[in-house]
Amino acid sequence: MSTFVMMAGTSDAVDRGGDMTRSADRLRADDKSAAESVPSGRLVALTVAAEELSVSVKTIRRRIADGSVRAYRIGRLIRVNLDELRAALLVVVGSSH
């Protein structure tokens, strides 16, 4: 297990476990990519989404687990984009004519 220590007044991380350290530039790049992946739609709690779409919270959790729906963690809270979820759950049923 590697421990990273950020030195005060510098942008370099000191590795205390033998692994490669991530440079300050890499950390900034990760922050930028995370900001670019922020959803533009309405983020709601799983219970709100389940009620809105008339499905169970368990169904939404299953979809998150299988990767068909993205979930966003805000602190300890899990949120889903209601528009993304609606699109993922929408199933077109053919006519029987």
Side-chain angles (χ1 to χ4, degrees), residues 59-97:
T59 296
I60 297 172
R61 288 187 184 276
R62 276 192 218 115
R63 296 300 179 129
I64 292 168
D66 73 14
S68 60
V69 174
R70 289 184 64 181
Y72 303 91
R73 183 175 292 278
I74 303 170
R76 293 180 55 199
L77 307 174
I78 298 174
R79 299 289 187 249
V80 291
N81 183 318
L82 197 54
D83 297 331
E84 287 179 15
L85 182 61
R86 184 177 285 117
L89 294 177
L90 182 65
V91 177
V92 179
V93 179
S95 66
S96 60
H97 294 287

Side-chain angles (χ1 to χ4, degrees), residues 14-74:
V14 176
D15 183 11
R16 299 280 171 111
D19 295 333
M20 297 290 292
T21 61
R22 292 171 54 184
S23 68
D25 292 336
R26 173 76 180 171
L27 292 172
R28 281 189 220 105
D30 288 346
D31 291 343
K32 182 187 271 188
S33 66
E36 290 171 356
S37 68
V38 173
S40 61
R42 181 176 152 215
L43 294 181
V44 297
L46 300 183
T47 54
V48 173
E51 187 175 309
E52 184 85 18
L53 299 175
S54 300
V55 297
S56 69
V57 172
K58 192 171 185 177
T59 296
I60 297 172
R61 288 187 184 276
R62 276 192 218 115
R63 296 300 179 129
I64 292 168
D66 73 14
S68 60
V69 174
R70 289 184 64 181
Y72 303 91
R73 183 175 292 278
I74 303 170

